[in-house]
Amino acid sequence: MSRSCVSFLLFGVLVATLAVEPAQGQTEAGPGAPANLRCEYLREPVGVDTAQPRFSWVLEHAQRAELQTAYQVLVATSKDALGQDRADQWDSGKVASDESIQVVYGGKALESGKDYYWKVRFWDKEGRASEYSKPAHFGTGLMTQAEWKAKWIGGGSAGGNEFRKEFTLNGKVAGARIFVSALGYYELRVNGRRIGHNVLDPAWTTYPKRVLYSTYDAASALKDGPNVIAVMIGNGWATQEVDGSAAYYKTPALLLQMNVDPEGGRRQSIVTDGTWKTVRGPVMEDSVYGGEVYDARRETPGWDAPGFVETGWSAAQVVEGSPGARSSQTMPAIQVVDTIIPVKMTSPEPGVYVFDMGQNMSGWARLNVEGDMGTKVTLRYSELLYDNGMINRENIRKAKSRDIYYLRGGGAEESYEARFTYHGFRYVEVTGFPGTPSLDSIRGRFVHTSVSTVGSFTASKQILNDIQKVIRWSQLTNLFGVPTDCDQRDERQGWMGDAQATAEEAMMNFDMAAFYTNFIRDIGDAQRDDGAVPDTVPLKYGDYNADLGWQTAYPLLVKYMWEQYGDRRIIEQNEKGLKKYIDYLHSHAKDGRIADKLGHEGDWVELAHTPHDFMTDFWYLYDVRTMADFEKVLGHDGDAQMYAKQAQSIAEAFNQAYFHTDTAQYANGTQAANAMALFLNLPAKDRRDEVTDNLTNDVLYYHDTHVTTGFIGVKFLMPALTSTGHTDLAYDLAVQTTYPSWGYMLSRGATTLWELWEEKTGASMNSQDHIMFGSVGAWFYQTLAGINQNDGTVGYKHIRIAPQAVRDLHWASGTVDTIRGTVGSAWTHDASGVTLKVTIPAGADARVLVPKPEELSGITVEENGRVIWEKGHFVPGDPGISSGVEDENDVAFEVGSGEYSFRLIGQ
């Protein structure tokens, strides 16, 4: 079968995925029960510590152009009560509102460590009520700091890293919650059972200011009589020295509180204190960069079960720990999300075995081995190979990146995988293996923050699919509680520039709302009193007075949360910090320009240098404009006007300083300079075309359709070309395969994005897994699939579908499961016209622009076989479509929610 036939069949499959199955309780003519219920962006969270959590749901309706006109939320303290519609916690009543997102809880005060059950129904525009949704659940964490009774404990002089506490329960357990944190990482067990699936938990924070704790329902693991809690801890970021900066703490520490509610009895709390026992277990050494050393001979079977004889164990030491806030980790945890089978094993030297996973990934390897007691097997990780087949570890710098396992022996197969470290790798070198390994001896364990997929993009041009794949892998491998730059070398930091440059792409590919909510709080914790934010968060690598392309992550991430999820609260919570940040910028400015040098990165890893002062002043203007928008959202008209006026003055100073009236170039005329100026709409109307010509000439003629920007500039280059009518040129850049380009990386075998446009493999700054060039992923969705929001709107309530049928692209398809529901766009272009299939969620509307091939005239448009545009006029009567208008490039229709299939034909 030819590639074109395969592509066409794949397109058909993707179009079919846009169809939505009727929801439970949905009738042919009426509203269906709401679906996808969320609390604080999460499904069924168990550790909510927000006094007024927010709810959201997705509307289901069989008819087009349907809206919610009212809703009713019921919250109860038991499933039975909710099933009988007895809302003993909150009955919102029938609330006249079209909002199905960010609905704030308004009931009785929530109690700590309790379960709550909720459901919702809605009324459509005809006043018909849906059935109630299926029940959803959320549990609470500890709502106040005063409820914490636990103390931080450590392993003392013996360096204990295993802890246990036996206790007795009398009677059946009605409920039990464990709240656990660590300065470092932990693995939790109760009565011999592993609790939860989290790894490398809790996520990294600025520990002296805040630690995160996880909440577990432990009732099913407890029993009448003797019980035990057993915990292993590791060092993690708490003790990791980074780039010469001191570690937060010398040794890790544990904090745990379990509240047990027996049936008919008084609550019993088991907390970490000096009565716990500790010992040095089989994990002999562990660190983020160094890996783990595990001696299975030191295992003590039964240590995590009641009745274990604690010979050699000593009392745990109460330590100072962190004085900071204790906050629930209300975001997806880091977990093992997949197991990867190696594609090849080689032996480049005797006794050296190299396993190729076929994919650059984050996590560790699981070793399956059988041998004599004390046999030492070493696993070393790398992204690259030398020509002789040996692993090339030059680019991981000082990171040891290895795991060592000492066998327990005994004749049975042993399985080992690390607990308290992670690596970035494609290749695993195994030495010391007893005998000869097979492909089954190693499995890759893919580890990252367990965000779910919400977006899908594919197209007829295979290179676009390949780039989409490496973007997804690069994003996931750099989500470890914070958005990191890389996953392999002695760095792995929360670089703010990388975070802001790729956030829009991340939000369209993955469910990032809870993750970025947490990271924005991390930024606030790291903010200095004068308003500055560092270039890495948490700050361990880098410093304050950072480049503004990195500091801008604070306002921009808040902006994207507002745009993508309609999150007003996050603006409210950060208004004070954002104002401090703007004041900090003003303090370094004179006459509308930043006067002091802040940072040095500019358009980082650029190929043509853009002046640093231009970059700095661009961000100054962008951030003040963004602050004006925030104040407008909050209804603070006076502040909004003040910041808008400041932004206008900065824009005037910017143009005066950088726009050359004789050449119509900005700064020194690089792609980045002109694209960024166009992005902010800075050129005067009568000079905009000249600036655009300068940009396109530089791309097309001076650089033979190649980029010269760094990762900051390329974020603006693609949308600037598109907005000025040059999507075809942006497309040519996207599908380019020679240096420098995304396609060049792929042609050289990349399975994740590189840190540089260049191919380098030596001991320098040349990570093979960096997400920072991934901003083009957002352009795929927004331009090629055409999924956008109307200007000035948020939360996908008012959508704009405007796909660009360019060059040799025969079809493209994209879907995004937004906070309001699935938005889909799938189009195909052939000689006779264009077919566009669209999905708009109930409660939303859209402006759908059907692209009009320039070679066609006498345009007719049908929707599901019914003519809706003919002889230059809109033909009314098709359900859900209210109007249509034609311009030079497309025929645009205003539509309500529903699924539509447009067919544009001509002569």
Side-chain angles (χ1 to χ4, degrees), residues 50 121 162 181 216 288 405 488-489 522 586 600 640 668 709 777 782-783 815:
T50 302
R121 62 175 173 169
E162 290 185 345
S181 183
Y216 299 98
V288 175
Y405 179 68
Q488 74 294 97
R489 67 186 181 213
D522 289 340
H586 289 332
H600 66 279
N668 58 342
T709 69
Q782 294 166 348
T783 302
T815 62

Side-chain angles (χ1 to χ4, degrees), residues 3 5 113 145 175 178 190 232 361 485 564 750 907:
R3 171 169 290 185
C5 290
Q145 301 294 303
I178 294 179
V190 174
M232 299 176 69
M361 58 182 287
D485 61 325
Q564 291 290 315
Q907 300 173 350

Side-chain angles (χ1 to χ4, degrees), residues 44-306:
E44 308 285 325
V46 294
V48 173
D49 62 351
T50 302
Q52 289 185 292
R54 294 161 297 172
F55 300 126
S56 68
W57 54 89
V58 171
L59 305 176
E60 301 283 359
H61 209 293
Q63 293 176 288
R64 289 179 172 179
E66 273 296 346
L67 303 170
Q68 173 185 287
T69 57
Y71 67 80
Q72 183 177 16
V73 176
L74 302 183
V75 182
T77 55
S78 72
K79 292 181 182 178
D80 289 343
L82 188 67
Q84 299 170 30
D85 295 346
R86 288 191 294 107
D88 57 349
Q89 192 68 24
W90 183 42
D91 182 346
S92 70
K94 184 177 180 180
V95 179
S97 171
D98 63 354
E99 279 303 348
S100 58
I101 66 172
Q102 310 294 349
V103 175
V104 178
Y105 170 78
K108 299 175 185 177
L110 300 174
E111 298 179 30
S112 294
K114 288 199 66 173
D115 291 312
Y116 295 94
Y117 304 88
W118 69 286
K119 61 184 180 180
V120 60
R121 62 175 173 169
F122 77 99
W123 284 261
D124 65 12
K125 67 181 183 181
E126 288 80 25
R128 296 171 295 186
S130 74
E131 293 183 4
Y132 276 108
S133 65
K134 290 181 178 180
H137 158 266
F138 69 94
T140 51
L142 294 176
M143 304 301 289
T144 65
Q145 301 294 303
E147 293 176 272
W148 279 95
K149 307 303 180 186
K151 299 177 181 178
W152 288 102
I153 59 172
S157 58
N161 57 7
E162 290 185 345
F163 298 82
R164 69 189 311 273
K165 173 69 176 181
E166 289 208 30
F167 56 96
T168 300
L169 297 176
N170 296 313
K172 292 183 178 180
V173 173
R177 283 278 200 282
I178 294 179
F179 312 100
V180 57
S181 183
L183 299 175
Y185 299 135
Y186 70 86
E187 182 178 290
L188 173 65
R189 310 184 76 83
V190 174
N191 292 336
R193 182 198 302 183
R194 169 80 183 271
I195 303 298
H197 301 287
N198 299 357
V199 299
L200 306 181
D201 206 51
W204 180 17
T205 54
T206 304
Y207 298 114
K209 285 194 173 183
R210 186 183 309 275
V211 293
L212 300 180
Y213 67 88
S214 293
T215 302
Y216 299 98
D217 185 339
S220 64
L222 298 174
K223 61 183 181 178
D224 183 16
N227 293 263
V228 67
I229 301 175
V231 186
M232 299 176 69
I233 65 170
N235 291 297
W237 290 107
T239 66
Q240 178 69 61
E241 294 183 6
V242 178
D243 191 36
S245 65
Y248 295 105
Y249 305 99
K250 292 183 179 179
T251 56
L254 171 67
L255 182 77
L256 182 147
Q257 179 165 325
M258 181 170 70
N259 293 338
V260 182
D261 294 315
E263 289 185 358
R266 295 183 59 185
R267 170 171 288 181
Q268 182 176 348
S269 293
I270 293 87
V271 301
T272 45
D273 57 21
T275 66
W276 283 55
K277 295 300 180 66
T278 185
V279 76
R280 188 74 180 176
V283 178
M284 302 303 298
E285 178 184 322
D286 67 276
S287 72
V288 175
Y289 297 154
E292 184 174 291
V293 178
Y294 188 96
D295 189 345
R297 297 169 296 181
R298 295 178 59 87
E299 293 177 342
T300 49
W303 78 280
D304 57 355

Side-chain angles (χ1 to χ4, degrees), residues 17 37 65 84 273 283 316 385 428 526 710 739 772 803 843 862 875 907:
T17 66
L37 276 61
Q84 299 170 30
D273 57 21
V283 178
L385 294 179
V428 183
Y739 170 82
M772 62 190 193
E862 298 177 349
V875 180
Q907 300 173 350

